[in-house]
Amino acid sequence: MPNASIGVDVGGTKIAAGLVNAQGQIVCRGQRPTPAGSPTDILRGIADAVNEVIQTSGLKREQVEAIGLGIPGLVDPATGIGIVSVNLHWHDVPVKRVLEEMLGKPCFIDNDVKVAALGEFRHGQGQGLSSMVYLSIGTGIAAHLILDGKLYRGPNGMAGEIGHAVIDRHGPRCNCGAQGCLEALASGPAIAARATAKINAGRASSLVRMATAQQEPITAEQVFAAAANGDPLALETTEETGSYLADAIQILIMMLDPQLVVLGGGVARSGDLLLSPIRRSLERQAAQSYVFRQAFAPERVQLTRLGGDAAILGAASLVTAGF
Ligand SMILES: [Zn+2]
């Protein structure tokens, strides 16, 4: 098998590696918990995961061209340095240099969500397109902009940080210090917080029983599950979430005119429970605005097709550079 490369999704809890063939298919996988120790321990864990995949695949080492890695936090792809990662508890780690020494293969790194956007663009919903916005909605929110086939980063690497665009200036305080950022309204923790605020205001909901029984704060996942069961408070919360995200997506569409907006990240696992309210809100806006109608069609907003595999596939394709 020529031109096989290995993609690694390095997370705060697990390292997932996959051997990707020339057709962009994951043909062999390996996974292990992320070591809790020093940066060297984590890098050794990554090297072990890669070696395990090579051994399981039955390939000779020479048949593996290179290794691509998606790393959480701030990353410098040019120097191969992991600048800072809250999840991995490290800063200024020479990831590329150390792993190349350990593995004897060229290594390429980029931010984990950017790598997932690349995977989705090359092998998922974005296949065959030239422009796509990948909106990642999880603990944080960020958009990754692929324009004319290339990731647009901006001169400060801040392009797409729409999570900190103010959507409601009377909204809740964001971790960044501002008030009413998209992230403070529609991220996973924000969805849970808005539902909890309604419950604390005395509203009835199946989530009240759940919160009491588990004696822990409710999660966004539970809000979506309750919405799926028809709980009015949860439905209201997911509908609001959809309209906050739709406001941001409307700006992205008007600014960039992308062929497609893809929703990824943990919150996108809620599937149609997230997508439908977003589309409903965008359709209302399109019905009002002649200008927006020229740029928008419901099918131009889609859920990720690759889910968790997007990062492995994207990391593996870092090897064929030009992103
Ligand atoms: Zn913010």
Side-chain angles (χ1 to χ4, degrees):
M1 184 166 45
N3 296 328
S5 50
I6 292 178
V8 189
D9 181 13
V10 182
T13 53
K14 67 171 201 255
I15 297 166
L19 184 83
V20 179
N21 67 15
Q23 286 74 44
Q25 294 154 330
I26 303 176
V27 289
C28 182
R29 293 168 188 270
Q31 189 173 308
R32 60 187 55 226
T34 306
S38 68
T40 310
D41 294 333
I42 297 172
L43 294 173
R44 200 161 284 133
I46 294 170
D48 289 347
V50 169
N51 286 328
E52 184 193 322
V53 168
I54 297 174
Q55 273 157 21
T56 322
S57 72
L59 285 190
K60 294 202 183 75
R61 247 187 135 69
E62 312 81 86
Q63 289 174 285
V64 176
E65 196 183 345
I67 292 112
L69 303 120
I71 309 276
L74 212 54
V75 169
D76 184 346
T79 58
I81 289 175
I83 299 168
V84 64
S85 171
V86 178
N87 291 341
L88 301 178
H89 312 283
W90 76 20
H91 61 92
D92 293 331
V93 178
V95 178
K96 179 180 167 74
R97 184 176 61 74
V98 174
L99 282 175
E100 285 182 345
E101 278 167 22
M102 285 179 177
L103 292 163
K105 292 279 171 194
C107 294
F108 302 88
I109 71 168
D110 209 329
N111 165 269
D112 57 347
V113 188
K114 287 199 162 48
V115 153
L118 174 62
E120 195 68 46
F121 178 65
R122 291 203 173 147
H123 303 290
Q125 296 281 21
Q127 245 177 344
L129 303 184
S130 63
S131 66
M132 185 189 101
V133 171
Y134 181 86
L135 185 64
S136 169
I137 312 152
T139 312
I141 298 180
H144 301 272
L145 319 173
I146 295 156
L147 306 173
D148 298 326
K150 289 220 161 204
L151 181 75
Y152 180 74
R153 297 173 190 272
N156 302 304
M158 295 297 286
E161 290 291 347
I162 198 155
H164 300 285
V166 175
I167 296 292
D168 174 6
R169 67 175 58 256
H170 304 291
R173 186 69 64 188
C174 178
N175 287 332
C176 79
Q179 203 177 338
C181 291
L182 179 63
E183 196 166 296
L185 293 161
S187 64
I191 295 165
R194 278 191 295 105
T196 305
K198 291 175 211 269
I199 292 167
N200 291 343
R203 301 263 309 272
S205 166
S206 58
L207 290 165
V208 177
R209 263 197 319 279
M210 200 175 285
T212 318
Q214 69 190 12
Q215 294 186 324
E216 267 177 34
I218 53 165
T219 63
E221 210 176 346
Q222 290 170 332
V223 175
F224 281 104
N229 290 325
D231 182 85
L233 182 148
L235 279 168
E236 181 190 288
T237 308
T238 55
E239 211 53 43
E240 285 164 3
T241 304
S243 74
Y244 290 133
L245 288 165
D247 285 354
I249 292 169
Q250 203 259 352
I251 295 168
L252 288 166
I253 290 175
M254 290 281 78
M255 289 278 293
L256 303 165
D257 190 22
Q259 287 165 297
L260 190 65
V261 177
V262 178
L263 311 175
V267 174
R269 279 201 287 268
S270 322
D272 283 335
L273 289 164
L274 178 74
L275 180 61
S276 299
I278 290 175
R279 281 189 175 166
R280 267 197 294 280
S281 180
L282 288 169
E283 278 168 341
R284 279 196 297 275
Q285 295 183 37
Q288 286 169 3
S289 164
Y290 169 76
V291 178
F292 186 49
R293 272 204 295 282
Q294 309 309 307
F296 172 73
E299 61 274 14
R300 286 178 72 181
V301 182
Q302 300 282 353
L303 295 161
T304 166
R305 192 197 294 164
L306 300 173
D309 284 349
I312 292 177
L313 288 166
S317 72
L318 283 177
V319 171
T320 51
F323 192 41

